[in-house]
Amino acid sequence: MKTLTLLRHAKSGWDDPVARDFDRPLNPKGQRAAAMVGRHMKSLGLAFDHVVASPAVRVVETLDQVSHGYGSDLAPAWDQRIYLASAATLLDVVHALPAGAGHVLLAGHNPGLEELVLLLVPDDGGALRDEVEVKFPTATLAEMTFAADHWDDVRAGAAMLTRFVRPRDLDPGLGPDTP
């Protein structure tokens, strides 16, 4: 059995005067949300054998804040392929995950992460899948399990979505209508 947890980067600062999208940092709300998600991950007892992430500034800062809340460095492997990747590219990344890793955290961007969940979880995947289909907000966790022994065996429609946690589920003040 394999478990894949996806983490979308936290809310970034669109008003920051950076020259490249890649360099866009988190805004204060994003920093708070990421730390809250890290605390929630710790409270759930989540542990990862491997962490792989986009090297974009907003993902790096998200994982820094998540680590702060989690109480431990997640020590990600940075993978440029994840930056603004499609679901197909993300699936290639999943297929190449280390064989010995049973629970992996993949941190990146939308729409790729949302599309990956919708690809891997069957249409009749239940209420959580329906929520993903509506919106996969920033700093949200989605956890899927696979009845597979190898990451290369992960296929479309084969996942069970076991967790979908948005920052606003943890603190309503982190919802979309607050600064």
Side-chain angles (χ1 to χ4, degrees):
M1 169 111 104
K2 299 290 186 184
T3 302
L4 178 65
T5 301
L6 304 179
L7 172 64
R8 182 177 175 199
H9 68 78
K11 193 155 203 58
S12 57
W14 283 97
D15 56 349
D16 196 285
V18 296
R20 299 183 317 156
D21 173 75
F22 186 89
D23 297 323
R24 216 165 6 100
L26 296 185
N27 68 20
K29 181 178 176 181
Q31 293 171 357
R32 290 191 313 271
M36 172 72 70
V37 168
R39 288 190 294 277
H40 184 67
M41 288 167 46
K42 182 176 183 170
S43 76
L44 294 172
L46 297 183
F48 307 101
D49 303 314
H50 186 70
V51 178
V52 62
S54 162
V57 168
R58 59 192 177 275
V59 177
V60 172
E61 290 183 359
T62 296
L63 288 177
D64 286 345
Q65 291 297 321
V66 167
S67 292
H68 181 72
Y70 186 68
S72 179
D73 182 16
L74 294 170
W78 306 109
D79 189 330
Q80 181 67 38
R81 295 177 298 167
I82 298 171
Y83 176 64
L84 303 180
S86 67
T89 298
L90 291 172
L91 187 56
D92 288 343
V93 171
V94 169
H95 286 158
L97 289 171
H103 191 173
V104 171
L105 175 66
L106 189 155
H109 311 266
N110 250 10
L113 292 179
E114 178 178 328
E115 291 169 354
L116 182 63
V117 172
L118 298 177
L119 172 71
L120 295 176
V121 178
D123 285 344
D124 61 353
L128 291 180
R129 187 188 190 280
D130 294 344
E131 289 183 40
V132 171
E133 203 164 2
V134 171
K135 187 171 184 182
F136 195 118
T138 53
T140 292
L141 286 174
E143 184 177 272
M144 297 173 285
T145 58
F146 305 89
D149 293 326
H150 307 282
W151 289 108
D152 197 39
D153 295 334
V154 168
R155 297 287 177 253
M160 177 183 295
L161 185 60
T162 55
R163 191 180 321 272
F164 184 66
V165 181
R166 301 164 295 202
R168 70 174 179 232
D169 299 331
L170 307 174
D171 177 351
L174 294 171
D177 297 324
T178 61

